[in-house]
Amino acid sequence: MISGSSLILQTATRFLVPLLFLFAVFLLLRGHNEPGGGFIAGLVASGAFALHLFAFDASSTRRLMGVDGQLLMGCGLLLALASGVVGMVLNGQPFLSSQWWSLYVPGIGELKLSTPLFFDVGVFLVVIGVVTTIMLSLAKVEE
């Protein structure tokens, strides 16, 4: 679909959006061992969706997302909540206590999973859901 924005912006967007998503995944996984990865990664991914919205239109951005922003918010909140409950249920520890597991994956080696990673993924989904819902609602008002 062709919108009223410039060809240069549309061409640059086709190259930048995948790079921004890749950078968001890097930030998300970097925060696995350090705090704050999910929020910053969510903002970068939301920025990619915003760039796509400015270059094209709201309907193509919705197709790029593939799911509704409100569904992302709900799933993210449930995942973040579930990551906090795991320590309570398994070991009787306080809410949001970190739990760590090691998993051997053939070809990759040892993979460390933890509740902070799941919490960061939940925050990542909530941030994307909130920002894209606001952006697409504003775009709908303008239409």
Side-chain angles (χ1 to χ4, degrees):
M1 177 174 284
I2 297 182
S3 68
S5 64
S6 75
L7 181 63
I8 294 172
L9 179 61
Q10 290 178 350
T11 304
T13 299
R14 286 189 178 103
F15 290 106
L16 288 176
V17 166
L19 291 175
L20 286 171
F21 286 137
L22 191 64
F23 185 57
V25 170
F26 169 75
L27 289 174
L28 177 65
L29 296 178
R30 172 120 168 66
H32 178 58
N33 292 326
E34 297 179 11
F39 186 78
I40 296 169
L43 288 178
V44 170
S46 299
F49 286 122
L51 180 63
H52 193 271
L53 177 65
F54 293 144
F56 298 101
D57 60 356
S59 63
S60 64
T61 303
R62 283 189 189 97
R63 276 195 309 271
L64 177 67
M65 287 181 59
V67 295
D68 189 31
Q70 295 173 348
L71 180 65
L72 287 177
M73 282 188 279
C75 290
L77 281 173
L78 284 176
L79 187 61
L81 180 67
S83 70
V85 174
V86 169
M88 292 172 61
V89 172
L90 293 180
N91 298 329
Q93 296 175 331
F95 182 68
L96 288 176
S97 294
S98 297
Q99 304 296 315
W100 295 84
W101 303 279
S102 292
L103 179 70
Y104 180 76
V105 179
I108 296 176
E110 186 180 10
L111 182 66
K112 291 185 177 180
L113 296 176
S114 65
T115 55
L117 175 65
F118 295 121
F119 183 80
D120 276 344
V121 171
V123 170
F124 175 74
L125 293 176
V126 168
V127 170
I128 290 175
V130 168
V131 173
T132 56
T133 299
I134 291 171
M135 286 185 323
L136 293 174
S137 297
L138 290 174
K140 188 176 181 180
V141 169
E142 286 186 3
E143 291 176 350

